[in-house]
Amino acid sequence: MPCAICTRAFLFTCAAGTGKTTLAIHLANLLERRILLVFGDDQYTSADLIGNQKGYNRKKVVDNFIHTVVKLEDEFRQSWVDARLTTACREGFTLVYDEFNRSRPEVNNVLLSVLKERLLVLPAASQQQEYIRAHPHFRVIFTASDRARRTGASAKMLAAECRRQWLIEKWKRNR
């Protein structure tokens, strides 16, 4: 299993019903890290992968130290909630992205910087840092059905990046 430990991304493509997802989950279990499972969907947005503003935090301060004077402070702030990709990058989990090619290419574009530079760029609305450096144990396992294969540039670039990383790791081991 030394190849799986050093490679950051895997891509399994085959016909539907051949066990790609089962193989991906089995491989993720061999990595002995927590697994987060995401299913590709045409309705997905990048917020479904990265996170979004959900709900509000309210802080109310009532100061009545002097009984004739009441000071009120009321503050509302939106709360940021991480989605699975952000959690996996931050904590070093294995993300299994099943049928990733069913998602629109612009949704999957966020994965390119994660795979190439190990950086997840967060939207300005996150009220956190601008980016997250992926944890050293972070891995992604993609599955894609041959019939549902998208011809989008994003899917092709992700597949090429998986192949490139595998070749680099193979070259490093053979040196």
Side-chain angles (χ1 to χ4, degrees), residues 14-96:
C14 202
T18 55
K20 296 179 299 296
T21 305
T22 303
L23 180 62
I25 291 172
H26 179 70
L27 178 61
N29 280 325
L30 291 175
L31 295 173
E32 297 178 350
R33 300 291 299 166
R34 187 169 168 202
I35 302 167
L36 296 178
L37 185 60
V38 176
F39 297 98
D41 186 353
D42 206 17
Q43 302 300 313
Y44 251 27
T45 65
S46 57
D48 294 318
L49 287 176
I50 299 173
N52 204 354
Q53 303 286 354
K54 305 256 176 153
Y56 291 90
N57 283 337
R58 182 179 182 189
K59 178 182 175 184
K60 185 175 183 177
V61 177
V62 179
D63 184 0
N64 198 11
F65 183 71
I66 301 173
H67 68 79
T68 58
V69 178
V70 177
K71 179 182 174 186
L72 293 173
E73 288 181 26
D74 214 356
E75 180 182 343
F76 282 95
R77 268 189 283 145
Q78 283 190 312
S79 298
W80 174 265
V81 178
D82 288 342
R84 293 182 182 203
L85 176 61
T86 306
T87 302
C89 282
R90 190 183 314 268
E91 303 296 328
F93 299 153
T94 301
L95 181 73
V96 176

Side-chain angles (χ1 to χ4, degrees), residues 15-16 46 48 65 69-70 91 99 102 108 118 127 139 149 152:
S46 57
D48 294 318
F65 183 71
V69 178
V70 177
E91 303 296 328
E99 302 293 347
R102 289 184 182 172
N108 291 332
R118 309 281 293 162
Q127 298 174 344
R139 303 287 182 268
R149 186 170 294 176

Side-chain angles (χ1 to χ4, degrees), residues 106-119:
E106 61 270 15
V107 173
N108 291 332
N109 279 343
V110 69
L111 292 161
L112 294 173
S113 66
V114 174
L115 293 175
K116 285 187 176 187
E117 287 91 28
R118 309 281 293 162
L119 292 176

